[in-house]
Amino acid sequence: MIEALIFKRVRAVDPHLALDATVDVVVERGRITRIGKNAAQNLPPSDRVRVIVGDGKWLLPGFIDLHAHVREPGYESKEDVASALRAAAAGGFVDICAMPNTRPVNDNKTITEFLMTKARTLNSTRLHPIGAITVGQQGERLTEMADLRDAGAVGLSDDGRCVTSSTVMRHALEYASMFDLPVIQHAEDHALTDGAQMHEGVVSTKLGLKGWPRVAEDIIVARDLLLVEYVGAKYHLAHASTEGSVKLLREAKARGLRVSAEVTPHHLLLTHEAVLGYNTACKVNPPLREERDVRALQQALADGTIDCIATDHAPHGALDKDCEFDRAAPGMIGLELCVPLLLDLVRTDVLSFGRFIEALTRAPAKVVNLPPPELRDGAEANFVLLDPQARWSIDPTRLWSKSSNTPFLGRTVQGRIDATVVGGRVVFESEGIDGDRASGTR
Ligand code: DOR
């Protein structure tokens, strides 16, 4: 049995602790017991100690994803708890939040408990269910929020659908605040997006596809922020996609409202031009927008107006995507690609390294009240070893998710997750990181 895990000569970076140094990190009994220069020097060699040499690699606090579609129960051919957690671990995530748009919808404690129990038995990345705001995500009757919270739900959302009724939203905010659960809104005025296939603009006109105007998001965000101000609740905006949302969030934060927001890798990297050629891999909800939205989102993430990066990991099978554009399901996978893709924004100085790490760790932890992973003596060992130099090509055979619906297939990225440690256990490792142990098999 391995009693100690040692990461030697890693560049440990934890912006919250103002840590950026080449150190050794020793893990025993699930915790970081020593961190510092030569911290591992006097440990006797033993077959109960596993040493991973990190020369040149980064050791970062483990990532937290607020927004993953795990698809179980009901759509296990696209993904299930086990495959989602494998993909999450391979992407460097130590905690993920599971959206409730399953079949049946996770609107009750039985499903929440089922997900928690199943995830626990897998000893991998931890799963935190998000319960529905309304029964069946129908937008009408509120769920039993206290039950959901007691069973382990960390937030509430009807994601995939918007809570359009102002009365229902008002009551959701009032009740959720009694349990300190964030209300996570999918902001879409469905009356304005009926039949819409992509962002409304010059590309939708060219392709003859019905458009999803920005204002359909902005209207809901503006209304919700007024309700938040009136009720005084904790509100989180899922997958912000417009320049207008950014402006509204900035104003709301300046007024001191308890609001937060997330942005996805695809909304930070792609525009509606990617849909040209009717590329169903780029069909997503909310849709890919325009250059000026992308710039506004990047800027907002950089300055903290948008708090978090979230994947909106939305696996779909080939049959859901290899079809006419208007019949294709919206969404793309993200857990394994999020960090390697977004490191480009750090390398090009769009985002500071510190903000990048915060947006994937401390900021999402705060939204759902999870303890933030930290690189310090005594902290639970939840971290990631990342090789910033390794280049690899995104190819379905390398992915752990059951689905491979992403427009980034074929792209070469720089930056590879080499190991993910949750509660002191290595839950993912890339091949040969210590040269003497094989990695798991697909
Ligand atoms: O593109 C999306 N896919 N957006 C959502 O809000 C839901 C998700 C899904 O469940 O496939």
Side-chain angles (χ1 to χ4, degrees):
M1 206 184 72
I2 300 290
E3 287 173 357
L5 194 57
I6 299 174
F7 290 79
K8 272 205 158 154
R9 295 189 298 278
V10 289
R11 177 182 168 197
V13 185
D14 187 336
H16 182 70
L17 304 176
L19 170 71
D20 186 347
T22 299
V23 292
D24 297 338
V25 177
V26 181
V27 174
E28 292 160 298
R29 297 173 303 280
R31 300 203 163 259
I32 297 176
T33 49
R34 262 170 283 181
I35 179 164
K37 284 214 187 328
N38 307 321
Q41 210 167 40
N42 298 325
L43 289 175
S46 151
D47 54 6
R48 298 195 166 184
V49 172
R50 181 173 180 203
V51 178
I52 295 169
V53 178
D55 286 333
K57 297 181 185 172
W58 299 341
L59 196 107
L60 310 178
F63 309 135
I64 299 178
D65 187 15
L66 291 178
H67 196 140
H69 296 276
V70 163
R71 302 295 191 220
E72 189 172 349
Y75 303 99
E76 290 84 350
S77 65
K78 300 179 191 227
E79 200 80 287
D80 59 23
V81 171
S83 64
L85 294 184
R86 266 198 304 273
F93 291 94
V94 296
D95 295 279
I96 62 167
C97 300
M99 281 296 175
N101 62 338
T102 46
R103 190 176 56 195
V105 167
N106 181 11
D107 59 9
N108 61 73
K109 68 174 186 191
T110 311
I111 297 177
T112 299
E113 275 165 3
F114 160 77
L115 290 169
M116 300 277 293
T117 309
K118 182 138 195 202
R120 244 184 251 124
T121 62
L122 294 165
N123 276 321
S124 178
T125 290
R126 293 169 293 219
L127 180 147
H128 308 276
I130 291 177
I133 297 172
T134 64
V135 175
Q137 295 190 301
Q138 294 299 303
E140 289 159 10
R141 263 190 317 123
L142 295 185
T143 50
E144 295 291 350
M145 294 178 181
D147 273 6
L148 287 165
R149 194 251 345 241
D150 291 348
V154 294
L156 300 162
S157 182
D158 275 1
D159 184 64
R161 301 278 310 161
C162 179
V163 178
T164 43
S165 156
S166 303
T167 310
V168 173
M169 192 55 172
R170 173 199 174 161
H171 289 144
L173 290 166
E174 284 169 344
Y175 280 97
S177 68
M178 292 178 1
F179 310 113
D180 201 27
L181 289 170
V183 172
I184 303 171
Q185 174 71 297
H186 170 118
E188 171 180 0
D189 184 336
H190 293 294
L192 284 169
T193 62
D194 189 30
Q197 299 299 320
M198 65 173 299
H199 171 67
E200 181 172 286
V202 58
V203 179
S204 65
T205 307
K206 249 188 226 165
L207 295 178
L209 292 172
K210 182 143 189 244
W212 196 133
R214 288 186 184 88
V215 69
E217 176 167 315
D218 303 348
I219 271 182
I220 298 294
V221 176
R223 183 225 40 198
D224 285 354
L225 294 175
L226 290 170
L227 284 172
V228 169
E229 189 153 26
Y230 185 58
V231 172
K234 190 172 174 187
Y235 175 85
H236 179 78
L237 175 62
H239 44 49
S241 77
T242 66
E243 193 184 32
S245 285
V246 166
K247 188 164 168 268
L248 289 160
L249 285 164
R250 196 166 275 136
E251 286 163 6
K253 287 192 163 186
R255 293 205 304 281
L257 301 191
R258 282 211 299 163
V259 297
S260 56
E262 66 189 36
V263 61
T264 70
H266 43 278
H267 290 107
L268 288 167
L269 296 173
L270 299 173
T271 69
H272 63 161
E273 304 264 338
V275 181
L276 283 167
Y278 299 94
N279 183 358
T280 58
C282 291
K283 181 170 176 180
V284 66
N285 180 347
L288 302 174
R289 303 280 182 193
E290 297 182 30
E291 195 60 49
R292 63 182 231 237
D293 301 286
V294 171
R295 252 184 276 117
L297 294 167
Q298 291 179 346
Q299 174 60 44
L301 181 62
D303 69 23
T305 301
I306 292 181
D307 310 73
C308 314
I309 294 165
T311 66
D312 197 359
H313 177 77
H316 289 292
L319 287 178
D320 304 307
K321 287 290 191 180
D322 294 346
C323 57
E324 297 81 351
F325 199 90
D326 59 355
R327 294 187 51 239
M332 52 182 90
I333 57 167
L335 285 167
E336 294 165 82
L337 309 178
C338 172
V339 168
L341 285 169
L342 290 182
L343 278 171
D344 249 358
L345 296 183
V346 177
R347 279 189 291 264
T348 52
D349 287 332
V350 172
L351 259 189
S352 70
F353 195 27
R355 260 306 287 150
F356 176 70
I357 296 170
E358 184 184 59
L360 283 161
T361 58
R362 186 161 285 268
K366 185 167 175 224
V367 174
V368 287
N369 297 319
L370 290 176
E374 288 180 348
L375 301 183
R376 59 167 171 80
D377 280 355
E380 195 179 75
N382 299 307
F383 56 74
V384 178
L385 183 71
L386 193 154
D387 183 341
Q389 300 302 336
R391 291 169 70 80
W392 58 284
S393 161
I394 300 173
D395 155 354
T397 63
R398 299 183 70 136
L399 299 175
W400 294 81
S401 171
K402 282 190 187 180
S403 299
S404 51
N405 53 301
T406 166
F408 295 107
L409 289 182
R411 182 183 285 216
T412 297
V413 284
Q414 186 183 335
R416 186 187 64 206
I417 307 300
D418 267 0
T420 304
V421 174
V422 176
R425 291 185 64 251
V426 179
V427 297
F428 170 79
E429 61 187 278
S430 67
E431 265 160 60
I433 52 166
D434 53 0
D436 61 351
R437 281 164 64 104
S439 68
T441 47
R442 273 189 182 85

